[in-house]
Coordinates of all heavy atoms in Angstrom, one line a residue:
M1 N -2.6 -58.0 25.8 CA -2.3 -58.2 24.4 C -1.0 -57.5 24.1 O -0.8 -56.3 24.5 CB -3.5 -57.6 23.6 CG -3.3 -57.8 22.1 SD -4.8 -57.5 21.2 CE -4.6 -55.9 20.7
T2 N -0.1 -58.1 23.4 CA 1.1 -57.6 23.0 C 1.1 -57.2 21.6 O 0.7 -57.9 20.7 CB 2.3 -58.6 23.3 OG1 1.8 -59.6 24.0 CG2 3.5 -58.0 23.9
T3 N 1.7 -56.0 21.3 CA 1.9 -55.7 19.9 C 3.3 -55.4 19.6 O 4.1 -55.0 20.5 CB 1.1 -54.3 19.6 OG1 1.6 -53.3 20.4 CG2 -0.4 -54.5 19.7
A4 N 3.7 -55.7 18.4 CA 5.1 -55.6 18.1 C 5.4 -54.1 18.0 O 4.6 -53.3 17.4 CB 5.4 -56.2 16.7
A5 N 6.6 -53.7 18.5 CA 7.0 -52.3 18.4 C 7.3 -52.0 16.9 O 7.9 -52.8 16.2 CB 8.2 -52.1 19.3
P6 N 6.9 -50.8 16.5 CA 7.3 -50.4 15.1 C 8.8 -50.3 14.9 O 9.5 -50.0 15.9 CB 6.6 -49.1 14.9 CG 6.3 -48.6 16.2 CD 6.2 -49.8 17.2
R7 N 9.2 -50.6 13.8 CA 10.7 -50.5 13.5 C 11.0 -49.1 13.4 O 10.6 -48.3 12.5 CB 10.9 -51.2 12.1 CG 12.3 -51.6 11.9 CD 12.6 -52.2 10.6 NE 11.6 -53.3 10.4 CZ 11.3 -53.7 9.2 NH1 11.8 -53.2 8.1 NH2 10.4 -54.7 9.0
L8 N 11.8 -48.6 14.4 CA 12.2 -47.2 14.4 C 13.3 -46.9 13.5 O 13.3 -45.8 12.9 CB 12.6 -46.9 15.9 CG 11.5 -47.0 16.9 CD1 12.0 -46.7 18.3 CD2 10.3 -46.1 16.6
T9 N 14.2 -47.8 13.3 CA 15.3 -47.5 12.4 C 15.5 -48.7 11.5 O 15.5 -49.9 11.9 CB 16.6 -47.2 13.1 OG1 17.0 -48.4 13.9 CG2 16.5 -46.0 14.0
D10 N 15.7 -48.5 10.3 CA 16.0 -49.5 9.3 C 16.9 -48.8 8.3 O 16.5 -47.9 7.5 CB 14.7 -50.0 8.6 CG 15.0 -51.2 7.7 OD1 16.2 -51.7 7.7 OD2 14.1 -51.8 7.1
E11 N 18.2 -49.1 8.4 CA 19.2 -48.4 7.6 C 18.8 -48.4 6.1 O 18.3 -49.3 5.6 CB 20.5 -49.1 7.8 CG 21.6 -48.5 7.0 CD 23.0 -49.3 7.1 OE1 22.9 -50.4 7.7 OE2 24.0 -48.8 6.6
K12 N 19.0 -47.2 5.5 CA 18.7 -47.0 4.1 C 20.1 -47.1 3.4 O 21.0 -46.4 3.7 CB 18.1 -45.7 3.8 CG 16.9 -45.2 4.6 CD 15.8 -46.3 4.8 CE 14.6 -45.7 5.5 NZ 14.7 -45.8 7.0
L13 N 20.1 -48.0 2.3 CA 21.3 -48.1 1.6 C 21.2 -47.3 0.3 O 20.2 -47.1 -0.3 CB 21.5 -49.6 1.2 CG 21.6 -50.6 2.3 CD1 21.6 -52.0 1.8 CD2 22.8 -50.3 3.1
T14 N 22.4 -46.7 -0.1 CA 22.4 -45.9 -1.3 C 22.5 -46.9 -2.5 O 22.9 -48.1 -2.4 CB 23.6 -44.9 -1.4 OG1 24.8 -45.7 -1.4 CG2 23.5 -44.0 -0.2
L15 N 22.2 -46.4 -3.7 CA 22.4 -47.1 -4.9 C 23.8 -47.6 -5.1 O 24.1 -48.7 -5.5 CB 21.9 -46.3 -6.1 CG 21.9 -47.0 -7.5 CD1 21.1 -48.3 -7.4 CD2 21.4 -46.1 -8.5
A16 N 24.8 -46.7 -4.8 CA 26.2 -47.0 -4.9 C 26.6 -48.2 -4.0 O 27.3 -49.1 -4.4 CB 27.1 -45.8 -4.6
E17 N 26.0 -48.2 -2.8 CA 26.3 -49.3 -1.8 C 25.7 -50.6 -2.4 O 26.4 -51.7 -2.3 CB 25.7 -49.0 -0.5 CG 26.4 -47.9 0.3 CD 25.7 -47.4 1.5 OE1 24.4 -47.4 1.5 OE2 26.4 -47.0 2.4
I18 N 24.5 -50.6 -2.9 CA 23.9 -51.8 -3.5 C 24.7 -52.3 -4.6 O 25.0 -53.5 -4.7 CB 22.4 -51.5 -3.9 CG1 21.6 -51.1 -2.7 CG2 21.9 -52.7 -4.7 CD1 21.2 -52.2 -1.8
C19 N 25.1 -51.4 -5.5 CA 25.9 -51.8 -6.7 C 27.2 -52.4 -6.3 O 27.7 -53.4 -6.9 CB 26.0 -50.7 -7.7 SG 24.4 -50.2 -8.5
K20 N 27.8 -51.8 -5.4 CA 29.2 -52.3 -4.9 C 29.0 -53.6 -4.3 O 29.8 -54.5 -4.6 CB 29.8 -51.3 -3.9 CG 31.1 -51.7 -3.4 CD 31.7 -50.7 -2.5 CE 33.0 -51.1 -1.9 NZ 33.6 -50.2 -0.9
D21 N 28.0 -53.9 -3.5 CA 27.8 -55.1 -2.8 C 27.5 -56.3 -3.8 O 28.0 -57.4 -3.7 CB 26.7 -55.1 -1.8 CG 26.5 -56.3 -1.0 OD1 27.6 -56.7 -0.3 OD2 25.4 -56.9 -0.9
L22 N 26.7 -55.9 -4.9 CA 26.4 -56.9 -5.9 C 27.4 -57.0 -7.0 O 27.3 -57.9 -7.9 CB 25.0 -56.6 -6.5 CG 23.8 -56.7 -5.5 CD1 22.5 -56.2 -6.2 CD2 23.6 -58.1 -5.0
K23 N 28.3 -56.0 -7.0 CA 29.3 -56.0 -8.1 C 28.7 -55.8 -9.5 O 29.0 -56.6 -10.4 CB 30.3 -57.2 -8.1 CG 31.1 -57.2 -6.8 CD 32.0 -58.4 -6.8 CE 32.9 -58.5 -5.5 NZ 32.3 -58.5 -4.3
I24 N 27.7 -54.9 -9.5 CA 27.0 -54.6 -10.8 C 27.1 -53.1 -11.1 O 27.4 -52.3 -10.2 CB 25.5 -55.0 -10.8 CG1 24.8 -54.2 -9.6 CG2 25.4 -56.5 -10.6 CD1 23.3 -54.4 -9.7
S25 N 26.8 -52.7 -12.3 CA 26.8 -51.3 -12.7 C 25.5 -50.7 -12.3 O 24.5 -51.4 -12.1 CB 27.1 -51.2 -14.2 OG 26.0 -51.7 -14.9
R26 N 25.5 -49.3 -12.3 CA 24.2 -48.6 -12.1 C 23.2 -48.9 -13.1 O 22.0 -49.1 -12.9 CB 24.5 -47.1 -12.0 CG 25.2 -46.7 -10.8 CD 25.6 -45.2 -10.9 NE 24.4 -44.3 -10.7 CZ 24.0 -43.9 -9.5 NH1 24.7 -44.2 -8.4 NH2 23.0 -43.1 -9.4
S27 N 23.7 -49.1 -14.4 CA 22.8 -49.3 -15.5 C 22.1 -50.7 -15.3 O 20.9 -50.9 -15.7 CB 23.5 -49.2 -16.8 OG 24.5 -50.1 -16.9
T28 N 22.9 -51.7 -14.8 CA 22.3 -53.0 -14.6 C 21.2 -52.9 -13.5 O 20.1 -53.5 -13.7 CB 23.4 -54.0 -14.1 OG1 24.3 -54.1 -15.2 CG2 22.8 -55.3 -13.8
F29 N 21.4 -52.2 -12.5 CA 20.4 -52.0 -11.4 C 19.2 -51.3 -12.0 O 18.1 -51.8 -11.7 CB 21.0 -51.2 -10.2 CG 20.0 -51.0 -9.1 CD1 19.9 -52.0 -8.1 CD2 19.1 -50.0 -9.1 CE1 19.0 -51.9 -7.1 CE2 18.1 -49.9 -8.1 CZ 18.1 -50.8 -7.1
Y30 N 19.3 -50.3 -12.8 CA 18.2 -49.6 -13.4 C 17.5 -50.5 -14.3 O 16.2 -50.4 -14.4 CB 18.6 -48.3 -14.0 CG 18.8 -47.2 -13.1 CD1 20.1 -46.6 -12.9 CD2 17.8 -46.7 -12.3 CE1 20.3 -45.5 -12.0 CE2 18.0 -45.6 -11.4 CZ 19.3 -45.1 -11.3 OH 19.5 -44.1 -10.4
D31 N 18.2 -51.4 -15.0 CA 17.5 -52.3 -15.9 C 16.7 -53.3 -15.1 O 15.5 -53.6 -15.4 CB 18.6 -53.0 -16.7 CG 18.0 -54.0 -17.7 OD1 17.1 -53.6 -18.5 OD2 18.4 -55.2 -17.8
W32 N 17.3 -53.8 -14.0 CA 16.5 -54.7 -13.2 C 15.3 -54.0 -12.6 O 14.2 -54.6 -12.5 CB 17.4 -55.2 -12.0 CG 18.5 -56.2 -12.3 CD1 18.7 -56.7 -13.6 CD2 19.5 -56.7 -11.5 NE1 19.8 -57.5 -13.5 CE2 20.3 -57.5 -12.2 CE3 19.7 -56.5 -10.1 CZ2 21.4 -58.2 -11.6 CZ3 20.8 -57.1 -9.5 CH2 21.6 -58.0 -10.3
R33 N 15.5 -52.8 -12.2 CA 14.3 -52.0 -11.6 C 13.2 -51.9 -12.6 O 12.0 -52.0 -12.3 CB 14.8 -50.6 -11.1 CG 13.8 -49.9 -10.3 CD 14.5 -48.8 -9.6 NE 13.5 -48.1 -8.8 CZ 13.1 -46.8 -8.9 NH1 13.8 -46.1 -9.8 NH2 12.2 -46.3 -8.2
A34 N 13.6 -51.5 -13.9 CA 12.6 -51.4 -15.0 C 11.8 -52.7 -15.2 O 10.6 -52.6 -15.6 CB 13.3 -50.9 -16.2
K35 N 12.5 -53.8 -15.0 CA 11.9 -55.1 -15.3 C 11.2 -55.7 -14.0 O 10.7 -56.8 -14.0 CB 13.0 -56.1 -15.8 CG 13.5 -55.7 -17.1 CD 14.6 -56.7 -17.5 CE 15.1 -56.3 -18.9 NZ 16.3 -57.1 -19.3
G36 N 11.2 -54.9 -12.9 CA 10.6 -55.4 -11.7 C 11.4 -56.5 -11.0 O 10.9 -57.2 -10.2
R37 N 12.7 -56.5 -11.2 CA 13.6 -57.6 -10.6 C 14.5 -57.0 -9.5 O 15.3 -57.8 -8.9 CB 14.4 -58.2 -11.7 CG 13.6 -58.9 -12.7 CD 14.5 -59.5 -13.8 NE 13.7 -60.2 -14.8 CZ 14.2 -60.6 -15.9 NH1 15.5 -60.4 -16.2 NH2 13.4 -61.2 -16.8
A38 N 14.4 -55.8 -9.2 CA 15.3 -55.1 -8.2 C 14.6 -55.1 -6.9 O 13.3 -55.3 -6.8 CB 15.6 -53.7 -8.6
P39 N 15.3 -54.9 -5.8 CA 14.6 -54.8 -4.5 C 13.8 -53.6 -4.4 O 13.9 -52.7 -5.2 CB 15.8 -54.7 -3.5 CG 17.0 -54.3 -4.3 CD 16.7 -54.8 -5.7
R40 N 12.8 -53.6 -3.5 CA 11.9 -52.4 -3.4 C 12.8 -51.2 -3.1 O 13.7 -51.2 -2.3 CB 11.0 -52.6 -2.2 CG 9.8 -53.5 -2.5 CD 8.8 -53.6 -1.4 NE 8.9 -52.5 -0.4 CZ 8.0 -52.4 0.5 NH1 7.1 -53.2 0.7 NH2 8.1 -51.3 1.4
C41 N 12.4 -50.1 -3.8 CA 13.2 -48.8 -3.7 C 12.3 -47.7 -3.1 O 11.1 -47.7 -3.2 CB 13.7 -48.4 -5.0 SG 14.8 -49.6 -5.8
I42 N 13.0 -46.7 -2.5 CA 12.5 -45.5 -2.1 C 13.0 -44.4 -2.9 O 14.3 -44.3 -3.0 CB 12.8 -45.2 -0.6 CG1 12.3 -46.3 0.3 CG2 12.2 -43.8 -0.2 CD1 12.9 -46.3 1.7
K43 N 12.2 -43.7 -3.6 CA 12.7 -42.6 -4.5 C 12.5 -41.3 -3.7 O 11.4 -40.9 -3.4 CB 12.0 -42.5 -5.8 CG 12.6 -41.5 -6.8 CD 12.0 -41.7 -8.2 CE 12.8 -40.7 -9.1 NZ 12.3 -40.8 -10.4
L44 N 13.6 -40.6 -3.4 CA 13.6 -39.4 -2.7 C 13.2 -38.2 -3.6 O 13.3 -38.3 -4.8 CB 14.9 -39.1 -2.1 CG 15.5 -40.2 -1.1 CD1 16.9 -39.9 -0.7 CD2 14.5 -40.4 0.0
P45 N 12.7 -37.1 -3.0 CA 12.3 -36.0 -3.8 C 13.4 -35.4 -4.7 O 13.1 -34.9 -5.8 CB 11.9 -34.9 -2.7 CG 11.5 -35.7 -1.5 CD 12.4 -36.9 -1.6
N46 N 14.6 -35.6 -4.4 CA 15.7 -35.1 -5.2 C 16.1 -36.2 -6.3 O 17.0 -35.9 -7.1 CB 16.9 -34.8 -4.4 CG 17.6 -36.0 -3.7 OD1 17.1 -37.1 -3.8 ND2 18.6 -35.7 -3.0
G47 N 15.4 -37.3 -6.4 CA 15.6 -38.3 -7.4 C 16.5 -39.4 -7.0 O 16.6 -40.4 -7.7
D48 N 17.2 -39.2 -5.9 CA 18.1 -40.3 -5.4 C 17.2 -41.5 -4.9 O 16.0 -41.4 -4.6 CB 18.9 -39.9 -4.2 CG 20.0 -38.9 -4.5 OD1 20.3 -38.7 -5.7 OD2 20.6 -38.4 -3.6
I49 N 17.9 -42.7 -5.0 CA 17.2 -43.9 -4.6 C 17.8 -44.5 -3.4 O 19.0 -44.5 -3.2 CB 17.3 -44.9 -5.8 CG1 16.4 -44.5 -6.9 CG2 16.8 -46.3 -5.3 CD1 16.5 -45.3 -8.2
R50 N 17.0 -45.0 -2.5 CA 17.5 -45.7 -1.3 C 16.7 -47.0 -1.2 O 15.6 -47.2 -1.7 CB 17.2 -44.9 0.0 CG 17.9 -43.6 0.1 CD 19.4 -43.7 0.3 NE 20.0 -42.5 0.5 CZ 20.5 -41.6 -0.5 NH1 20.3 -42.0 -1.7 NH2 21.1 -40.5 -0.2
V51 N 17.4 -48.0 -0.6 CA 16.8 -49.3 -0.3 C 16.9 -49.6 1.1 O 18.0 -49.5 1.7 CB 17.5 -50.4 -1.2 CG1 16.9 -51.8 -0.9 CG2 17.4 -50.1 -2.7
R52 N 15.8 -50.0 1.8 CA 15.9 -50.4 3.1 C 16.7 -51.7 3.2 O 16.5 -52.6 2.5 CB 14.5 -50.7 3.7 CG 13.7 -49.4 4.0 CD 12.3 -49.8 4.6 NE 11.5 -48.7 4.7 CZ 10.7 -48.3 3.8 NH1 10.5 -49.0 2.6 NH2 10.0 -47.2 3.9
R53 N 17.6 -51.8 4.2 CA 18.5 -52.9 4.4 C 17.6 -54.2 4.5 O 17.9 -55.2 4.0 CB 19.4 -52.8 5.6 CG 20.3 -54.0 5.8 CD 21.3 -53.8 6.8 NE 22.4 -52.9 6.5 CZ 23.4 -53.1 5.6 NH1 23.5 -54.3 5.0 NH2 24.2 -52.2 5.4
S54 N 16.5 -54.1 5.3 CA 15.6 -55.3 5.5 C 15.1 -55.7 4.1 O 15.0 -56.9 3.9 CB 14.6 -55.0 6.5 OG 13.8 -53.9 6.0
D55 N 14.6 -54.8 3.3 CA 14.1 -55.2 2.0 C 15.2 -55.8 1.1 O 14.9 -56.8 0.4 CB 13.5 -53.9 1.2 CG 12.3 -53.4 1.9 OD1 11.5 -54.2 2.5 OD2 11.9 -52.3 1.6
Y56 N 16.4 -55.2 1.2 CA 17.5 -55.8 0.4 C 17.9 -57.2 0.8 O 18.0 -58.1 0.0 CB 18.7 -54.8 0.6 CG 20.0 -55.3 -0.1 CD1 20.0 -55.5 -1.5 CD2 21.1 -55.5 0.6 CE1 21.1 -55.9 -2.2 CE2 22.3 -55.9 -0.1 CZ 22.3 -56.1 -1.4 OH 23.4 -56.5 -2.1
E57 N 17.9 -57.4 2.1 CA 18.3 -58.7 2.6 C 17.2 -59.8 2.3 O 17.5 -60.9 1.9 CB 18.6 -58.7 4.1 CG 19.9 -58.0 4.4 CD 20.1 -57.8 5.9 OE1 19.3 -58.3 6.7 OE2 21.2 -57.2 6.2
H58 N 15.9 -59.3 2.4 CA 14.8 -60.2 2.0 C 14.9 -60.6 0.5 O 14.7 -61.7 0.1 CB 13.5 -59.5 2.4 CG 12.3 -60.3 2.0 ND1 11.9 -61.5 2.6 CD2 11.4 -60.2 0.9 CE1 10.8 -62.0 2.1 NE2 10.5 -61.2 1.0
W59 N 15.2 -59.6 -0.3 CA 15.3 -59.7 -1.8 C 16.4 -60.7 -2.1 O 16.3 -61.6 -2.9 CB 15.5 -58.4 -2.4 CG 15.8 -58.4 -3.9 CD1 14.8 -58.4 -4.8 CD2 17.0 -58.4 -4.6 NE1 15.4 -58.4 -6.1 CE2 16.8 -58.4 -5.9 CE3 18.4 -58.3 -4.1 CZ2 17.8 -58.4 -6.9 CZ3 19.3 -58.3 -5.1 CH2 19.1 -58.3 -6.5
L60 N 17.6 -60.6 -1.4 CA 18.7 -61.5 -1.6 C 18.3 -62.9 -1.2 O 18.6 -63.9 -1.9 CB 19.9 -61.1 -0.8 CG 20.8 -59.9 -1.3 CD1 21.9 -59.6 -0.4 CD2 21.3 -60.3 -2.7
D61 N 17.7 -63.1 0.0 CA 17.2 -64.4 0.5 C 16.3 -65.1 -0.5 O 16.4 -66.3 -0.7 CB 16.6 -64.3 1.9 CG 17.5 -63.9 3.0 OD1 18.8 -64.0 2.8 OD2 17.0 -63.5 4.1
A62 N 15.4 -64.3 -1.1 CA 14.5 -64.9 -2.1 C 15.2 -65.4 -3.3 O 14.6 -66.2 -4.1 CB 13.4 -63.8 -2.5
R63 N 16.4 -65.0 -3.6 CA 17.1 -65.5 -4.8 C 18.1 -66.6 -4.5 O 18.9 -67.0 -5.4 CB 17.9 -64.3 -5.4 CG 16.9 -63.5 -6.3 CD 17.0 -62.0 -6.2 NE 15.9 -61.4 -6.9 CZ 14.7 -61.3 -6.3 NH1 14.5 -61.7 -5.1 NH2 13.7 -60.8 -7.0
E64 N 18.2 -67.0 -3.3 CA 19.1 -68.1 -2.9 C 18.7 -69.4 -3.5 O 17.5 -69.8 -3.5 CB 19.1 -68.3 -1.4 CG 20.4 -68.3 -0.7 CD 20.3 -68.4 0.8 OE1 19.9 -69.4 1.3 OE2 20.6 -67.3 1.4
D65 N 19.7 -70.2 -4.1 CA 19.4 -71.4 -4.6 C 19.4 -72.5 -3.5 O 20.2 -72.4 -2.6 CB 20.5 -71.9 -5.6 CG 20.2 -71.5 -7.0 OD1 19.0 -71.1 -7.3 OD2 21.1 -71.5 -7.9
A66 N 18.5 -73.4 -3.6 CA 18.4 -74.5 -2.7 C 19.2 -75.7 -3.3 O 18.7 -76.6 -3.9 CB 17.0 -74.9 -2.4
A67 N 20.5 -75.6 -3.2 CA 21.4 -76.5 -3.9 C 21.7 -77.7 -3.0 O 21.7 -77.7 -1.8 CB 22.7 -75.9 -4.2

């Protein structure tokens, strides 16, 4: 029986990196987050937010238009 190896590394993106990539302000990201429209976030003990790259890419893929 084969089991998938656990993901050992999944790069964590900072809020600044996400905002830069999407060309949005921090306040827009926080607004999306409050409305449940942002990618899944990790809140660190110091209050900083990180987003796993895989979660971010999945979130982007889910918003793609089938044109």
Side-chain angles (χ1 to χ4, degrees):
M1 181 163 98
T2 346
T3 58
R7 199 179 312 156
L8 297 178
T9 61
D10 191 1
E11 182 184 6
K12 310 314 184 274
L13 302 171
T14 65
L15 184 55
E17 291 170 324
I18 296 288
C19 291
K20 182 178 178 183
D21 188 55
L22 295 173
K23 296 178 177 59
I24 60 169
S25 66
R26 290 174 73 89
S27 61
T28 297
F29 183 88
Y30 281 118
D31 183 51
W32 289 355
R33 191 165 181 241
K35 293 176 180 174
R37 297 180 182 165
R40 281 182 24 173
C41 298
I42 301 165
K43 189 169 185 179
L44 301 177
N46 65 359
D48 285 353
I49 291 176
R50 297 289 186 274
V51 177
R52 286 182 186 92
R53 180 171 293 281
S54 60
D55 288 339
Y56 178 59
E57 289 175 3
H58 178 74
W59 177 83
L60 281 176
D61 290 344
R63 273 137 195 83
E64 228 174 73
D65 269 346

